[in-house]
Every structure is written in structure tokens, then in C-alpha cells.
């Protein structure tokens, strides 16, 4: 073959190879790999304690990264503001009255089909690390290491498919260590993955990592405007709830005053601090004592002269020091995981979600805990990034719920959702298609009463302008809030004549949405009877 003939062949073949190569590249672009899904959930993390929402209390630069690279939702809510039921809603894509997990005490019906089961069946590798809160053998996971029940902050025990194990250290760090170990050592690189990375923190009793003891116990935080709320413009439910900082936050159990000092001051306490710090090794306990014992001794000297207002403020500050100190470790560890995804070249094809199982009161209305349909409990943080799909830095105010996660993840994974799921996929919003989103109101129903914190049973709906709530069972009270004029929900206008038309319209909308989601008075009576049968109602 002569040189001139070879040059001739190259001239003819090269363009053909170029077009074949371009065609293959276009084909690959048309058929992208299904995305990995990293679902990060903390426990009781109030949106007010994420600096992407509000930077008055704490800076959370790593969690904020998700919003800067993706989307921040300002109207994300839950369907039932309590830990285990919220998680059941997320897994099943069904309201509590449908999946059966109405409260923390009722068992989870394992015949429910969960979205991890469906993703695993469709070819995803699945893993869960951290706090599930119910059940010891979650279905649909190739690997799991979960805390039993609430779990412990220090030197925690974990449940695995191969038996229990106790790990030395701080729970937030350990959950991340387990997660990264799986990512590095046992992830199947030929499959997309679903990773559920679930933190215990900052759940009560808010126990920070030792590295944060000194810094956070010296901080002072701004007081909520309604810290001294007297509940005069609402119904009896707010007034009778047992979640006030002054009356119901325990000095020993919650605020780390040693039992011996609480007993010396004749303070009524649950006296359970020792049960949790007894897990510390002698070296760990020395660090704890060096920080918390001086605080307790100082309090013992000041307590006899404290009036209710001073004690409320002292409790609030101690609460925030430990609660926000717990969040500091969550933020650091979220950063570790995000850095791993970046460094391993996984970020471009990975959806990252950060949320909580519900909101939490940080002194608003004088409260801690959750349960109510009022905003601080009802709303939950939601930040999602998905490179090349979500435009970075977007804020979204549409009404979305934890009910929507299952269908969203299934659609991302090109997997068909069961017809009985009740949420709506968030993909139209994530892709900037507002016209593809039709929901204008969300439904809520809380059941766990009578029980801890004594928050009465109630259900309601909220849209961007108004919220209506019906408290029932041992009461029959209605509340209506004008969210534009009264964003802190301080004044119930259900009986205000100027809101008569709004009240009537919201009641009609509530009745309609209860039908849509297959909730009813008959189900209300059924779940009340369940409490009677269990001896929880006489």
C-alpha cells in the first residue's frame, strides 16, 4: 500500500469516524445514568437553626452549601409532626391514617411497600445509617446500621443485620464514619445508589460533641419575640400543652444539672441525667464534668433568687447552647460527606437532600418540642441539589410535604410509583416548571393524645395565606390564622366577623381535602378506640 493511498483512506475514513464518535456521544447524552440519591435527615432540626433560613442563632455553612448549589424550600411541611410517624410517611408516601403509623407507640405495618424496596428492585444499591426510630430490620436495604429506638449520643449501640455492636465516640461522627466506610469499601460502582444518612441530633436531650462543650456553653442567644406568650388569643390547646420552657423543661434531664444538685435544691426532676452520662468513659466524663459542673454550681447559687422570667431566660439560653451545639457537629459531618462526593467525582450525578423529620420550637411561644400545626413545628427544612438539573441558588415557596419524597425519588430513578401513594413528585419544581405544580394547600393530622406534652388531637390545612385547624376528641375548637398579617400565629381569627367568608371557605376546603386523602371522622373514632383498647383513654 503506497503512502499516497494510505493518505487517501485516512481522508475518507476520518470524517466517518468523527461522525460515529459524535453520534455515540449524543446517544450517551440522551441516555444519562440514573442519579444517585443521598437523603440526609436530622431529628428535630428547626429551620430557624439553619443559616440559609435564618443566621441569628447559628452558622451552618455546609448545610447551606446544598442550598447555594441547589434549591431552598421555604414552605416545606410535614403531615404529622412527630418522629416515627413522619419517617413512616417519608418511606411509604402515604398519610399516617393510611400507613397506620399514627404515633410513636403504634407498630409500623411492615406490609407497607416503601420506596427503598422499589428502588432496590429497580437496580439501586441501598444503604441506611443512623436513626430510623422504629423497627430493627428495615426492608429494602442491602446494608443498614441503625440506632435502637432513640439511641445514645455517646458510645452508642447500633443494630445491624449481623447483630448489635457498640462504637466508641460521638454519635454524629460515628454515623458519618459508618456512611463513608460503606461508600469507600462496599459501594457497588456498577449501580446507582440510595443512601439514607440519618442523624440522631439534635433530638432531645441535646448533647453536643465534647469538642463543642466550651464554645457553645459560653454563647448567649437572642430571645424570641414571643418567648413570654400568654396564649390569650388562641384556644385551650395552646394553653394546656405541656411543653413550656418554664414549667416542663427539666433541669436535670434536659439542662444537665446533676441529680445531686437538683435534689439539694428540691427541684422536681426526672433524675435521668446519670443514665446517659454514665455511658462516658472516665476520660470523656472528665471533659464533661469540667464544663457542666461549674455551670450547675453557678445555677445552684442563683436559683433561690430567680423569678419566673429570669428562670425562663436561663433555661432558654442553656437549651440553645446544647441544642445548637449538637447542630454544629451535624453541619461539620454533612460537610465531610459533601466533600467525599466532590473528591470522588460523584457530585455531578448525585441528588443530595437535606431535611428533618419535622420542625421544632426554639422558645417561640415559650415552647420546646413540636406536635402542633403551628409553623415552627409544621414547617421543616428542605434543601435539594441536583447538578445540571436544578439551577443553583433558587428559593422555592410552593407548598410541598414530606409526603412527596417517595414519589420524587421514584421518578428520579425512572421507577413507577404505586398508585396508592398520596404525594406528588417534586420534579416539576426542581426543573423550574411551575406550571407542572398544581397543589395550593397541604393537609396535616396529629394523633398522639393523651400522651407526653398533652398536645390535643387536631387536623387542618394550610395554604400560603391562611391556616385552619380543628382540635377534637375531648374538645371541639377551631382556629384560623392569617399568615400574611400574623406570621407568628398569635391571634386566632376563627370568630372574627371580618374573616367569616375566609373561615367558611377554609372549612369547605378542609372537608374536601379530607375526602381526597381518604381521611374521615370514622377513622378518627377508630384511632381513638385504639387508645381505649390500649388503656390510654378511660
Amino acid at each position: 500500500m503506497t503512502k499516497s493511498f494510505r493518505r487517501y483512506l485516512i481522508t475518507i475514513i476520518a470524517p466517518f469516524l468523527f461522525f460515529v464518535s459524535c453520534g455515540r456521544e449524543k446517544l450517551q447524552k440522551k441516555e444519562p445514568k440514573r442519579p444517585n440519591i443521598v437523603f440526609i435527615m436530622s431529628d428535630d432540626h428547626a429551620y430557624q437553626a439553619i443559616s440559609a433560613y435564618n443566621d441569628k442563632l447559628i452558622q451552618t455553612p455546609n448545610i447551606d452549601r446544598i442550598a447555594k448549589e441547589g434549591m431552598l424550600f421555604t414552605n416545606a411541611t410535614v403531615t404529622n409532626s412527630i418522629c416515627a410517624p413522619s419517617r413512616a410517611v417519608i418511606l411509604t408516601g402515604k398519610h399516617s391514617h393510611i400507613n397506620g403509623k399514627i404515633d410513636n407507640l403504634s407498630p409500623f405495618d411492615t406490609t407497607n411497600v416503601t420506596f427503598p424496596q422499589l428502588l432496590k428492585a429497580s437496580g439501586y444499591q441501598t444503604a441506611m445509617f443512623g436513626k430510623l426510630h422504629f423497627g430493627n430490620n428495615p426492608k429494602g436495604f442491602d446494608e443498614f446500621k441503625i440506632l435502637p429506638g432513640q439511641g445514645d449520643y455517646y458510645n452508642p449501640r447500633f443494630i445491624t443485620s449481623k447483630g448489635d455492636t457498640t462504637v466508641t465516640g460521638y454519635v454524629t461522627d460515628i454515623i458519618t464514619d459508618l456512611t463513608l466506610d460503606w461508600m469507600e469499601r462496599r459501594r457497588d460502582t456498577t449501580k446507582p445508589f440510595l443512601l439514607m444518612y440519618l442523624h440522631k441530633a439534635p433530638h432531645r436531650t441535646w448533647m453536643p460533641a465534647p469538642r463543642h462543650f466550651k464554645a457553645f456553653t459560653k454563647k448567649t442567644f437572642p430571645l424570641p419575640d414571643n418567648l413570654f406568650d400568654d396564649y390569650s388569643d388562641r384556644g385551650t390547646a395552646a394553653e394546656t400543652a405541656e411543653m413550656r420552657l418554664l414549667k416542663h423543661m427539666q433541669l436535670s434531664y434536659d439542662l444537665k444539672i446533676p441529680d445531686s444538685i437538683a435534689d439539694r435544691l428540691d427541684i422536681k426532676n426526672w433524675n435521668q441525667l446519670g443514665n446517659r452520662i454514665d455511658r462516658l468513659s472516665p476520660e470523656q466524663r472528665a471533659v464533661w464534668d469540667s464544663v457542666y459542673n461549674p455551670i450547675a454550681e453557678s445555677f445552684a447559687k442563683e436559683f433561690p433568687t430567680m423569678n419566673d422570667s429570669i428562670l425562663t431566660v436561663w433555661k432558654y439560653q442553656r437549651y440553645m447552647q446544647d441544642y445548637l451545639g449538637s447542630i454544629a457537629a451535624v453541619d461539620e459531618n454533612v460537610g465531610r460527606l459533601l466533600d467525599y462526593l466532590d473528591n470522588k467525582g460523584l457530585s455531578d450525578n448525585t441528588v443530595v437532600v437535606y431535611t428533618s423529620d419535622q420542625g421544632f420550637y426554639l422558645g417561640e411561644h415559650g415552647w420546646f418540642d413540636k406536635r402542633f400545626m403551628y409553623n415552627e413545628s409544621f414547617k421543616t427544612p428542605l434543601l435539594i441539589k441536583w447538578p445540571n438539573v436544578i439551577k443553583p441558588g433558587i428559593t422555592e415557596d410552593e407548598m410541598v410535604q414530606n409526603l412527596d419524597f417517595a414519589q420524587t425519588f421514584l421518578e428520579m430513578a425512572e421507577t413507577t410509583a404505586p398508585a396508592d401513594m398520596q404525594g406528588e413528585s417534586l420534579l416539576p419544581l426542581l426543573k423550574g416548571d411551575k406550571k407542572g405544580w398544581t397543589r395550593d394547600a397541604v393537609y396535616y393530622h396529629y394523633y398522639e393524645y393523651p400522651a407526653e406534652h398533652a398536645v390535643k388531637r387536631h387536623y387542618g390545612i394550610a395554604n400560603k395565606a391562611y391556616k385552619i385547624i380543628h382540635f377534637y376528641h375531648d374538645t371541639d375548637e377551631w382556629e384560623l390564622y392569617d399568615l400574611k398579617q400574623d406570621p407568628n400565629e398569635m391571634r386566632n381569627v376563627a370568630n372574627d366577623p371580618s374573616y367569616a367568608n375566609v373561615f367558611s371557605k377554609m372549612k369547605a376546603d378542609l372537608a374536601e381535602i379530607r375526602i381526597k386523602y381518604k381521611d374521615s371522622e370514622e377513622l378518627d373514632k377508630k384511632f381513638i378506640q385504639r387508645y381505649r383498647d390500649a388503656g390510654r383513654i378511660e
Side-chain angles (χ1 to χ4, degrees), residues 222-241:
L223 304 179
D225 293 337
N226 53 7
L227 177 64
F228 297 102
D229 189 352
D230 63 5
Y231 319 109
S232 58
D233 286 329
R234 284 182 295 281
T236 61
E239 186 177 1
T240 58

Side-chain angles (χ1 to χ4, degrees), residues 328-508:
V330 173
D331 186 69
E332 290 170 351
N333 280 280
V334 167
R336 290 176 63 197
L337 180 56
L338 295 178
D339 288 346
Y340 181 91
L341 294 172
D342 286 347
N343 294 336
K344 296 295 182 177
L346 293 168
S347 292
D348 282 350
N349 194 41
T350 298
V351 178
V352 177
V353 177
Y354 187 89
T355 191
S356 180
D357 49 356
Q358 62 262 318
F360 213 68
Y361 293 104
L362 305 184
E364 299 89 359
H365 304 290
W367 285 335
F368 65 103
D369 206 69
K370 56 242 180 184
R371 301 166 197 263
F372 275 113
M373 196 185 170
Y374 306 132
N375 274 347
E376 292 84 5
S377 165
F378 177 51
K379 286 189 174 184
T380 191
L382 179 59
L383 307 83
I384 305 178
K385 78 181 187 81
W386 189 1
N388 305 313
V389 176
I390 297 176
K391 186 178 178 181
I394 297 295
T395 298
E396 179 55 74
D397 70 347
E398 292 297 337
M399 306 294 295
V400 304
Q401 287 196 295
N402 58 352
L403 183 71
D404 302 324
F405 292 154
Q407 279 151 291
T408 301
F409 298 148
L410 290 171
E411 185 173 357
M412 287 175 174
E414 302 171 12
T415 302
T416 302
D420 60 351
M421 283 188 173
Q422 296 181 299
E424 298 181 30
S425 170
L426 301 178
L427 256 66
L429 297 179
L430 300 180
K431 293 180 177 180
D433 178 17
K434 286 274 197 175
K435 294 179 181 178
W437 188 256
T438 58
R439 180 194 288 150
D440 59 6
V442 291
Y443 181 59
Y444 180 89
H445 199 152
Y446 175 80
Y447 300 87
E448 192 170 296
Y449 177 86
E452 183 180 0
H453 296 299
V455 173
K456 294 183 182 293
R457 294 173 184 242
H458 59 288
Y459 57 81
I461 59 169
N463 56 38
K464 293 179 183 179
Y466 299 100
K467 180 184 296 180
I468 189 170
I469 308 172
H470 181 217
F471 293 93
Y472 70 99
H473 171 47
D474 61 347
T475 186
D476 183 12
E477 297 184 33
W478 290 87
E479 295 185 5
L480 177 70
Y481 294 95
D482 184 334
L483 301 176
K484 299 292 186 183
Q485 299 299 318
D486 179 25
N488 293 327
E489 299 167 307
M490 297 294 291
R491 178 172 174 259
N492 172 23
V493 295
N495 297 317
D496 185 331
S498 65
Y499 284 88
N501 290 339
V502 173
F503 184 41
S504 178
K505 174 68 165 55
M506 290 294 287
K507 284 184 77 172

Side-chain angles (χ1 to χ4, degrees), residues 221-277:
F221 300 94
L223 304 179
D225 293 337
N226 53 7
L227 177 64
F228 297 102
D229 189 352
D230 63 5
Y231 319 109
S232 58
D233 286 329
R234 284 182 295 281
T236 61
E239 186 177 1
T240 58
E242 297 176 357
M243 45 199 283
R244 300 189 198 184
L245 295 175
L246 177 62
K247 293 184 177 181
H248 306 113
M249 181 171 279
Q250 301 294 309
L251 287 164
S252 179
Y253 179 72
D254 292 316
L255 302 178
K256 322 307 187 293
I257 300 299
D259 302 344
S260 57
I261 291 180
D263 291 341
R264 190 172 84 209
L265 297 173
D266 194 26
I267 298 169
K268 182 181 179 182
N269 262 284
W270 293 350
N271 294 323
Q272 291 180 328
L273 175 62
N275 295 348
R276 290 164 290 123
I277 62 173

